[in-house]
Amino acid sequence: MKFTILTLFPEIIEGFFSSSIMAKAVERGLIDLRLVDVRDFAFDRHRTCDDAPYGGGAGMVLKAEPLAGALDSVDAADKRVVFPTPSGRPFTQEKACELSREGELVFICGRYEGIDQRIIDLYVDDELSIGDYVISSGEVASLVMIDAIYRLVDGVISGESLEEESFTDDLLEYPHYTRPQVFRGLVVPDILLSGHHAEIARWRHQRRIEKTAANRPELLKRSGDEDRTNTY
Ligand code: ADE
């Protein structure tokens, strides 16, 4: 799968792609990265990419022409284009799964107050939000989504790890322990040392229900486990 990323700050993205699991996926040919510096498509003397909003108001807006030039240079009109924005639909695990099946995704990293609406009208397929808060860097929002997506691409990590983690169903993860058996007076639950796989699976499922009830009660309604919070 190929990630094409349009940004004014390519160095933010480069660091992430040279990190361990991602770098391995790139090395193995499972993931490909194409970085496009939007400033290369700003043709005035100062290579200006932002301007004041029509109608007044605070902040600056990313201009249409450099973005359109960058998008045309990668034939974005024929590709799935994602624009991370707090005004978007929620980005979920389900969406990550759907996007992981695309051959190529084009991400537009916004800055300032936003981007010219005509770019959204002309090119963008998915306006997506990573949560109900505002961050200043579209690069960080894109990387959050890319991290969630690339690990679902066939062959990047083992299917077993994917199956067990939170959000493959509607329950959060069970607690994990590793050596030593006692740490600062806290012991690993006996059941995990018992070797009884069925019992361990039952214990873990119950911990998942409890964790979900405590941290995300609204998810229990979706998973059908809301009556099972006190059974182990
Ligand atoms: N850019 C700034 N805030 C964002 C958010 N919450 N989601 C996606 N992109 C963003």
Side-chain angles (χ1 to χ4, degrees):
M1 160 168 224
K2 184 171 191 166
F3 292 105
T4 293
I5 306 171
L6 277 55
T7 171
L8 290 166
F9 300 93
E11 63 281 5
I12 299 178
I13 310 282
E14 274 159 2
F16 178 77
F17 273 78
S18 55
S19 76
S20 66
I21 303 183
M22 179 55 112
K24 255 185 224 138
V26 172
E27 221 175 84
R28 289 163 62 203
L30 298 168
I31 302 294
D32 196 9
L33 168 69
R34 171 162 55 167
L35 275 177
V36 180
D37 189 338
V38 175
R39 214 171 283 285
D40 291 343
F41 297 88
F43 295 115
D44 67 312
R45 208 155 51 91
H46 303 288
R47 303 217 295 161
T48 312
C49 287
D50 61 325
D51 205 342
Y54 276 118
M60 299 292 268
V61 175
L62 244 168
K63 288 165 68 62
E65 298 101 316
L67 276 176
L71 285 157
D72 290 342
S73 79
V74 299
D75 296 322
D78 306 324
K79 291 173 182 154
R80 184 118 178 221
V81 178
V82 177
F83 174 49
T85 164
S87 316
R89 296 202 171 124
F91 176 72
T92 59
Q93 188 69 16
E94 196 183 353
K95 194 73 186 175
C97 258
E98 179 198 326
L99 294 175
S100 72
R101 293 192 281 269
E102 293 283 335
E104 179 172 354
L105 291 172
V106 179
F107 280 83
I108 303 174
C109 300
R111 282 269 160 172
Y112 319 117
E113 277 306 295
I115 67 175
D116 191 297
Q117 178 62 34
R118 291 162 293 185
I119 292 296
I120 298 170
D121 297 342
L122 289 169
Y123 291 94
V124 172
D125 299 295
D126 299 82
E127 286 182 273
L128 295 173
S129 167
I130 57 169
D132 291 341
Y133 44 82
V134 178
I135 59 174
S136 56
S137 155
E139 286 75 15
V140 172
S142 291
L143 287 178
V144 167
M145 293 185 202
I146 289 166
D147 196 342
I149 294 164
Y150 92 90
R151 53 197 297 290
L152 300 174
V153 169
D154 274 349
V156 172
I157 56 178
S158 87
E160 216 170 83
S161 325
L162 290 180
E163 266 163 38
E164 284 193 0
E165 69 189 11
S166 300
F167 296 118
T168 41
D169 49 35
D170 283 321
L171 293 175
L172 304 182
E173 273 216 72
Y174 54 78
H176 303 280
Y177 297 88
T178 186
R179 275 181 284 265
Q181 216 171 305
V182 182
F183 176 69
R184 297 194 182 169
L186 299 178
V187 296
V188 174
D190 284 341
I191 184 87
L192 298 179
L193 313 172
S194 70
H196 293 122
H197 298 301
E199 282 294 294
I200 290 170
R202 206 165 89 83
W203 181 88
R204 283 178 168 166
H205 187 66
Q206 201 53 38
R207 299 291 82 73
R208 296 184 72 196
I209 293 170
E210 284 173 8
K211 184 86 173 175
T212 312
N215 290 355
R216 298 288 304 278
E218 77 282 8
L219 293 180
L220 273 186
K221 297 197 181 73
R222 296 201 324 223
S223 74
D225 278 310
E226 71 265 39
D227 299 330
R228 303 201 45 217
T229 42
N230 288 316
T231 53
Y232 200 97

